[in-house]
Every structure is written in C-alpha cells, then in structure tokens.
C-alpha cells in the first residue's frame, strides 16, 4: 500500500502547480488519447468562432471581401 503522508505531499505539490490553460489541456487530452483526427475539426471550429466574433465588429466589411 502507498504511504498516506507521501500521497498527501504529492497532492499538495500538484495543487501548488500553476494550472494549464484551455488549449494546453485540450492538447494534452489529444496527445493522451491519440485522437489526432480531432485536431482539424477543432481548428475549423476555432476559425468559425473567430469569423463569427469579427462579423459583428468594424472589421466586418474587410472580412466579407475575402469571400
């Protein structure tokens, strides 16, 4: 069995580490599960979200000229 004091120290050390960001967590998940085929889908969704966000901004006329 593992030592409870050592386990507690490991948990405390993990709690003090800086938290990873959303993209770091997502990349870690893709790397761990080896589902690299999800990466193009996520990039496309990110680009669509960026396009939708910029569509309501003053940059909208410049975006529409690309299409």
């Amino acid at each position: 069995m593992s030592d409870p004091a050592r386990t507690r120290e490991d948990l405390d050390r993990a709690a003090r580490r800086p938290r990873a960001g959303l993209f770091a967590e997502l990349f870690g998940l893709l790397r761990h599960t080896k589902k690299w085929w999800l990466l193009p889908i996520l990039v496309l969704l990110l680009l669509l979200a960026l396009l939708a966000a910029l569509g309501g901004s003053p940059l909208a006329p410049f975006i529409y000229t690309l299409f």
Side-chain angles (χ1 to χ4, degrees):
M1 291 197 125
S2 63
D3 182 23
R6 181 176 171 93
T7 304
R8 176 70 179 179
E9 290 172 6
D10 290 341
L11 288 175
D12 288 340
R13 191 176 320 116
R16 284 191 299 271
R17 277 192 308 208
R19 293 182 63 187
L22 176 67
F23 293 109
E25 289 278 341
L26 187 58
F27 183 72
L29 174 73
L30 291 176
R31 190 177 65 206
H32 179 72
T33 59
K34 295 180 178 35
K35 294 191 177 194
W36 294 110
W37 56 270
L38 285 173
L39 194 59
I41 297 170
L42 294 174
V43 168
L44 182 66
L45 285 175
L46 181 67
L47 289 174
L48 286 175
L50 182 66
L51 182 66
L54 291 177
S57 73
L59 297 175
F62 301 110
I63 294 171
Y64 294 130
T65 58
L66 295 175
F67 298 105

